[in-house]
Amino acid sequence: MTDHDREPDSDDTPRLQIDRPYSGETGTEERLALNRTGSFEWDLDARTLDIDAAGLLVFGVDQEEFTPDPGVLVGLLEPAERDRLELAIDEAITGGHSSYSVHFQVPRKNGTHQWTHVQARILRSADGRAHRVIGVVRDATAEVTHSAFVLDLEKRRQRQTSIVERTTSAMSRAVTVSDVTATLTGPSGLAMLGADGLALGLVEDTSLNVIAVSGVAPENIIELGSGKLDPQFPLADTVLSGRPRFVSSIAGLLRRYPALEPYTDQLKFRAAAYLPLVAQARSLGALALFYCERTAFNADERNLCLGLAAIVAQSLQRATLFDEEREFATGLQSAMLPRRIQEIEGGEIAVRYHAAWSGRQVGGDWYDVIALPKNRFGVVVGDVEGHDTHAAAIMGQLRIALRAYAGEGHPPATVLARASRFLAELDTDRFATCTYAQVDLPSGTVRAVRAGHFGPLIRHMDGRVSYPQTRGGLPLGISTDFGDEEYPETRLDLVPGETLVLYTDGLVEEPGADIDSGVEALIHEVSTGPASAQALADHLSNRLRERWGAGDDVALLVLRRSPGPGSPRAPRLHQYIHQADPEGLSDARSIVRQALQDWNMAELADDAELVTGELLVNVLLHTEGGAVLTLEVLPEPVRRVRLSVQDRSSAWPRRRNPGETATSGRGLLLLDAVAICWGIEPHGEGKAVWCEIGPATPPTSGPLAAATATATQPHESAEASETRDPSEPTEERR
């Protein structure tokens, strides 16, 4: 027998001996045998199996032991493999297939398993019935093993590629050092890195500060390694040496770092990689990755760890630079904004500023509270275009200039006109928007102007929020360039307990949504928020920034006039109607009706709406300003509402007796017919016409009876007003 005839496998495998003279050429049967490939013919009708010697060799069966019974070879297989082979053959024969191919394992005498491959063709009669199967059987162990190795290698490479891609993607979104540590220690941080634990330390001067620990990392030991760089501990040693350390066993770790021996019971990992973090030749710190199952690091795994360390180092370098720039920028921003807000008598002011999450977290939004002559003060909220240090620098200059102009006692329109001129003279391409108001809390008078900005909101005592029609002009800087520095003034009135809210667009802008939806959301939160100015400012900041995100700067100012005695005990409505607002009268009538319905007093809505229209029309037609409408419920048990319309005219109305064809002069007659009592009283710069609507029968006893009797006295004064000197100014009323 030649060397070619000898089977190179283990001694328990039968050897194939070919008994024919050697001719110098290898025949087909010999070539198949040398490749451990045999042939077979299976007669399905006779139920016999004919297999050559090479085929028997594949199954490890001697020729003397073989019988033509197909069950002999099939019986060598383990039950699971036998069932799988029989199922594949049965499906091919009964399914009308012309061939089949199947891999299965044959147990060897030495306890191993040999992968075997059968490929056969099914011969059928004219009617399609299978009667013979012919095919080959071969030893496929090397092929399958190689395929498994290749598949495993490919699987490991795919896993490593996935780890790098996930880590790169996650680190690219980390802006600050806190973001980097949060990404590494978050719920998916360890899975992203393919590790069971990690520790991250950064170099600060000559010390090592461990800023992140997760998973099976021995936290107590790592904390011992913080502080001064000490080569007795692996993390610090990695930083000092600048070389990675791959530890395949705890024993090897302890031999290199004996200082860890007292803490052996805390080492819950089996292998570790200590990796230096270096970016642009600068040592930033070290990253340790811990593994519970791995006991060695091959070349690919070491390269993977070094690649992960490079990604983390680049992210940390970028994040550290960002934090340093942000610290500088936020310091600049803090210096530009007022350090403290003065306390005011008769009210409460709260301010909030929130920087955008992007960029350097600095921008051009600002707020200010300015002391003015005669115990008044100014409030302003504004926004310089841009979100960078240039915007912050312009904002600081503009804020100081506006404060100076306001402090000189100029009216609001002049303050904004001069501020616009100042911004234009800075020779910058930035513009600014703002809302400025002078406030006199004792009288509740607010004189507001706008420069391309949102108008203020007013929250009334009953929680209702109004959006007064506040006239405005062009943004600061632009108005000067266009030669239009007109900023018309709007007078608003705050009654005790009401709140004024000024804000910038960052509080109401939702990405991809209309700005009106953001304003509606703000109005809802103002209405449902707490009454205190400080609490309301926190409520708005938290709820709306949580809803929109923090993509833009936010400046917020909340001013609340202190509640008057007894005002929380009964509902109250307060509305300003501007003379130039054509829809103000209709809105006021609707608001009065809706308020009475909300207060369960709908039976008074018709009369109140009629009186509201009469009194407001008189003011809007016969005076040069707007009107302040107040509707309140008198304390129980009086089931009445008191309606008052205030204006700035000093002329009192006079009741007339219009003829049948007259088109005016019936306003006071209607008021007298509808109201239980009414009157006129001086009020600040002008007067107020008031009336009470409700049941005609007042209480007959108790303190409210006296109050009701007193309330009728102004009615008499109104009658007496008709007898005043005709030379005194009067107003013609409908």
Side-chain angles (χ1 to χ4, degrees):
M1 184 173 64
T2 66
D3 292 339
H4 293 284
D5 298 325
R6 187 176 303 278
E7 172 60 44
D9 286 351
S10 58
D11 293 336
D12 62 339
T13 302
R15 294 181 174 88
L16 174 65
Q17 185 172 356
I18 302 176
D19 298 323
R20 62 167 55 92
Y22 180 67
S23 63
E25 295 184 2
T26 304
T28 301
E29 183 177 352
E30 291 177 278
R31 288 197 295 270
L32 292 175
L34 290 174
N35 286 281
R36 295 182 63 82
T37 301
S39 61
F40 68 90
E41 181 177 347
W42 180 13
D43 190 332
L44 298 179
D45 294 333
R47 297 183 180 180
T48 59
L49 178 67
D50 184 16
I51 185 169
D52 61 9
L56 292 175
L57 183 63
V58 173
F59 282 95
V61 177
D62 292 332
Q63 291 183 355
E64 294 79 8
E65 300 175 357
F66 176 69
T67 62
D69 183 4
V72 174
L73 295 182
V74 176
L76 298 175
L77 307 182
E78 295 178 350
E81 295 296 305
R82 182 169 60 249
D83 292 343
R84 191 160 63 86
L85 175 62
E86 291 178 345
L87 178 62
I89 296 173
D90 184 64
E91 287 180 349
I93 293 176
T94 59
H97 301 293
S98 61
S99 64
Y100 64 85
S101 175
V102 61
H103 285 82
F104 55 91
Q105 295 187 79
V106 177
R108 305 288 293 271
K109 293 180 181 180
N110 62 358
T112 63
H113 289 77
Q114 168 192 287
W115 279 101
T116 304
H117 177 226
V118 170
Q119 185 169 359
R121 181 175 181 82
I122 303 173
L123 303 180
R124 299 180 183 272
S125 59
D127 59 358
R129 183 180 61 84
H131 60 88
R132 290 177 64 199
V133 177
I134 58 175
V136 295
V137 57
R138 63 188 180 88
D139 181 357
T141 302
E143 172 190 323
V144 173
T145 303
H146 177 72
S147 298
F149 170 77
V150 172
L151 290 175
D152 182 65
L153 179 62
E154 181 64 23
K155 186 181 298 183
R156 290 201 304 270
R157 289 178 177 173
Q158 290 178 354
R159 174 177 173 273
Q160 293 173 356
T161 301
S162 176
I163 289 175
V164 172
E165 289 178 348
R166 293 200 307 267
T167 304
T168 302
S169 176
M171 289 292 103
S172 67
R173 295 189 295 270
V175 178
T176 67
V177 173
S178 297
D179 293 340
V180 173
T181 58
T183 301
L184 294 176
T185 60
S188 59
L190 293 177
M192 172 186 71
L193 297 171
D196 300 303
L198 68 85
L200 175 64
L202 294 184
V203 175
E204 296 179 359
D205 297 328
T206 59
S207 300
L208 180 67
N209 180 24
V210 177
I211 63 172
V213 177
S214 180
V216 298
E219 185 170 354
N220 293 335
I221 301 177
I222 291 173
E223 289 179 352
L224 290 174
S226 295
K228 185 178 180 180
L229 288 169
D230 188 347
Q232 296 184 84
F233 296 95
L235 207 62
D237 185 35
T238 302
V239 174
L240 293 172
S241 65
R243 296 193 301 271
R245 307 286 187 193
F246 295 95
V247 179
S248 301
S249 66
I250 297 299
L253 179 66
L254 296 178
R255 282 196 302 271
R256 186 171 187 85
Y257 302 102
L260 299 179
E261 289 185 359
Y263 312 99
T264 304
D265 58 338
Q266 298 183 32
L267 304 178
K268 306 299 183 183
F269 54 88
R270 298 180 61 184
Y274 294 92
L275 310 166
L277 300 177
V278 180
Q280 294 183 348
R282 175 190 172 192
S283 179
L284 304 178
L287 172 68
L289 299 178
F290 303 98
Y291 304 89
C292 293
E293 298 181 359
R294 181 179 297 172
T295 56
F297 295 88
N298 58 33
D300 288 342
E301 290 165 343
R302 293 186 180 219
N303 289 334
L304 173 64
C305 292
L306 294 175
L308 294 177
I311 295 171
V312 174
Q314 292 294 331
S315 299
L316 281 173
Q317 182 193 39
R318 183 180 64 251
T320 301
L321 179 61
F322 177 88
D323 284 347
E324 291 173 351
E325 291 184 349
R326 184 183 62 174
E327 184 178 358
F328 166 76
T330 52
L332 173 64
Q333 179 80 15
S334 299
M336 296 298 182
L337 292 173
R339 293 194 173 186
R340 68 179 186 88
I341 296 298
Q342 65 191 59
E343 295 184 0
I344 58 174
E345 185 177 354
E348 176 190 9
I349 288 183
V351 293
R352 297 291 184 271
Y353 174 81
H354 299 284
W357 65 268
S358 59
R360 297 173 177 172
Q361 292 203 347
V362 64
D365 289 21
W366 89 93
Y367 59 82
D368 206 351
V369 179
I370 309 165
L372 302 177
K374 300 180 181 179
N375 295 323
R376 297 171 300 151
F377 59 90
V379 292
V380 61
V381 162
D383 180 8
V384 174
E385 177 195 12
H387 302 94
D388 50 25
T389 52
H390 184 48
I394 294 175
M395 177 272 291
Q397 298 177 74
L398 182 60
R399 185 184 75 83
I400 294 172
L402 193 147
R403 168 179 279 268
Y405 298 142
E408 292 174 354
H410 298 294
T414 303
V415 171
L416 289 198
R418 293 195 174 190
S420 177
R421 204 169 306 143
F422 172 83
L423 181 57
E425 291 172 354
L426 288 180
D427 194 21
T428 177
D429 57 352
R430 306 296 178 95
F431 64 87
T433 66
C434 76
T435 293
Y436 170 68
Q438 287 185 0
V439 181
D440 183 5
L441 273 188
S443 66
T445 302
V446 178
R447 301 167 63 191
V449 289
R450 294 191 303 113
H453 202 79
F454 293 99
L457 300 178
I458 295 181
R459 168 173 158 163
H460 305 289
M461 285 296 295
D462 59 351
R464 185 179 51 84
V465 177
S466 62
Y467 193 3
Q469 296 293 328
T470 308
R471 295 180 294 174
L474 295 174
L476 303 180
I478 293 180
S479 63
T480 301
D481 293 339
F482 281 88
D484 182 7
E485 296 179 349
E486 294 293 329
Y487 293 100
E489 178 184 312
T490 301
R491 171 174 168 164
L492 308 174
D493 289 270
L494 284 181
V495 301
E498 290 187 333
T499 303
L500 184 77
V501 178
L502 303 178
Y503 55 95
T504 57
D505 56 2
L507 199 63
V508 294
E509 281 188 338
E510 178 183 12
D514 190 274
I515 192 67
D516 291 339
S517 63
V519 174
E520 291 174 1
L522 173 61
I523 291 175
H524 173 74
E525 296 298 340
V526 171
S527 176
T528 58
S532 165
Q534 296 291 342
L536 180 60
D538 289 335
H539 174 78
L540 297 179
S541 300
N542 297 335
R543 293 296 297 274
L544 293 178
R545 279 173 58 81
E546 176 183 337
R547 177 170 178 173
W548 311 139
D552 197 0
D553 302 344
V554 172
L556 173 67
L557 186 146
V558 179
L559 166 64
R560 187 188 187 208
R561 187 179 180 189
S562 298
S567 59
R569 292 197 296 266
R572 189 178 220 185
L573 178 149
H574 190 71
Q575 179 76 14
Y576 183 83
I577 298 89
H578 195 276
Q579 191 177 46
D581 183 8
E583 298 180 359
L585 177 60
S586 175
D587 291 343
R589 290 165 58 96
S590 299
I591 289 171
V592 167
R593 174 173 289 276
Q594 185 63 49
L596 291 176
Q597 291 175 352
D598 294 341
W599 299 342
N600 296 321
M601 304 179 74
E603 70 277 5
L604 305 179
D606 290 338
D607 291 344
E609 187 175 356
L610 174 63
V611 171
T612 298
E614 290 296 329
L615 295 181
L616 288 178
V617 165
N618 286 334
V619 173
L620 299 180
L621 288 179
H622 301 293
T623 70
E624 297 180 354
V628 179
L629 170 67
T630 302
L631 178 69
E632 58 186 334
V633 178
L634 298 180
E636 297 289 350
V638 177
R639 188 66 175 172
R640 294 181 183 176
V641 294
R642 180 183 176 97
L643 192 147
S644 172
V645 173
Q646 176 187 344
D647 60 57
R648 287 184 283 177
S649 173
S650 59
W652 282 32
R654 179 168 58 88
R655 179 156 50 176
R656 298 184 295 156
N657 294 316
E660 293 182 0
T661 60
T663 58
S664 63
R666 297 183 178 86
L668 293 184
L669 295 178
L670 287 173
L671 180 62
D672 191 47
V674 172
I676 299 301
C677 55
W678 63 276
I680 309 168
E681 56 190 22
H683 196 287
E685 300 175 357
K687 63 181 179 303
V689 180
W690 63 269
C691 67
E692 292 181 7
I693 302 173
T697 304
T700 58
S701 62
L704 288 177
T708 304
T710 304
T712 63
Q713 296 304 315
H715 188 294
E716 299 175 2
S717 67
E719 294 279 0
S721 67
E722 296 183 6
T723 62
R724 294 177 5 171
D725 187 342
S727 63
E728 294 181 1
T730 62
E731 296 178 8
E732 292 296 329
R733 299 285 166 158
R734 296 176 58 217

